[in-house]
Structures are given as structure tokens and as C-alpha cells.
Amino acid sequence: MKIKEIHDELMDLAKAKGFTVRKENGKFKSANCVIHDQKLIILNKTTPVETAVKVLAKSLAAVDLSDTFIKPAVREAIDAESQLFPNEKEFNLVVNY
């Protein structure tokens, strides 16, 4: 499976799991956060697709995916990111106004 296909699958999965995924311009690193109970993944438009895949996979590694069929290549990307941070269950920056 090509990296762009994995990216597209992760985007669809993130949306199915309740994330809003936005691509924005600016001088920031891609990440996920929760604002007013809304789960967001913000991707920098200039970020390479490989980095976007890592951000999406890392965000989804903190979500219960046991009830969802995930293609093996996509599952590998998520598992790879979850193994990098085995003690972290949440990767979210919570912002409350």
C-alpha cells in the first residue's frame, strides 16, 4: 500500500472516530488537540505526507479501535506510533476557554 493510500485511510478513520481534521498554513507543527470537547487534528499544509501519516497514526493510537476493521498496512502505521509512546494513553492538548 502506498503512503498516500495509508494517509487517505487514516484521514477517513480519524473522521469516523469523531476527529475533525484540518489542514492549515502557518509556522506550527502538526498535532491533535481537544477544544470545547471537539477532537481536532491540525495538519500543516507544508508537512510531508509521511509526517502527516505519523501524526494521524499517533492520534488514532490513543483511541479504541477494537470495533473497527483496519487494513493491515494502516494498522501497522498505528501500531508503530503506539509503540513509540507505550506509556501515553492521551496525546491531546486540552484547551478550555
Side-chain angles (χ1 to χ4, degrees):
M1 189 173 231
K2 294 182 181 180
I3 193 76
K4 179 65 173 134
E5 293 170 317
I6 294 171
H7 173 272
D8 294 344
E9 290 283 333
L10 287 168
M11 291 281 285
D12 292 342
L13 181 58
K15 291 173 185 174
K17 289 298 178 180
F19 284 93
T20 299
V21 182
R22 294 181 7 201
K23 292 188 176 187
E24 303 284 340
N25 285 321
K27 294 182 179 184
F28 65 92
K29 292 184 178 181
S30 300
N32 70 333
C33 63
V34 176
I35 300 177
H36 299 293
D37 297 327
Q38 181 182 11
K39 298 185 294 186
L40 298 171
I41 299 174
I42 311 294
L43 300 172
N44 193 317
K45 283 187 178 180
T46 62
T47 299
V49 69
E50 295 83 4
T51 303
V53 164
K54 288 182 179 191
V55 170
L56 291 163
K58 183 178 174 181
S59 300
L60 289 166
V63 176
D64 180 17
L65 301 172
S66 61
D67 63 342
T68 307
F69 172 77
I70 302 171
K71 293 180 181 177
V74 177
R75 173 68 69 186
E76 286 178 26
I78 294 169
D79 289 346
E81 290 302 312
S82 67
Q83 290 174 6
L84 292 176
F85 303 96
N87 297 325
E88 291 189 40
K89 298 298 179 202
E90 291 289 327
F91 299 101
N92 297 322
L93 168 66
V94 178
V95 179
N96 294 312
Y97 294 97

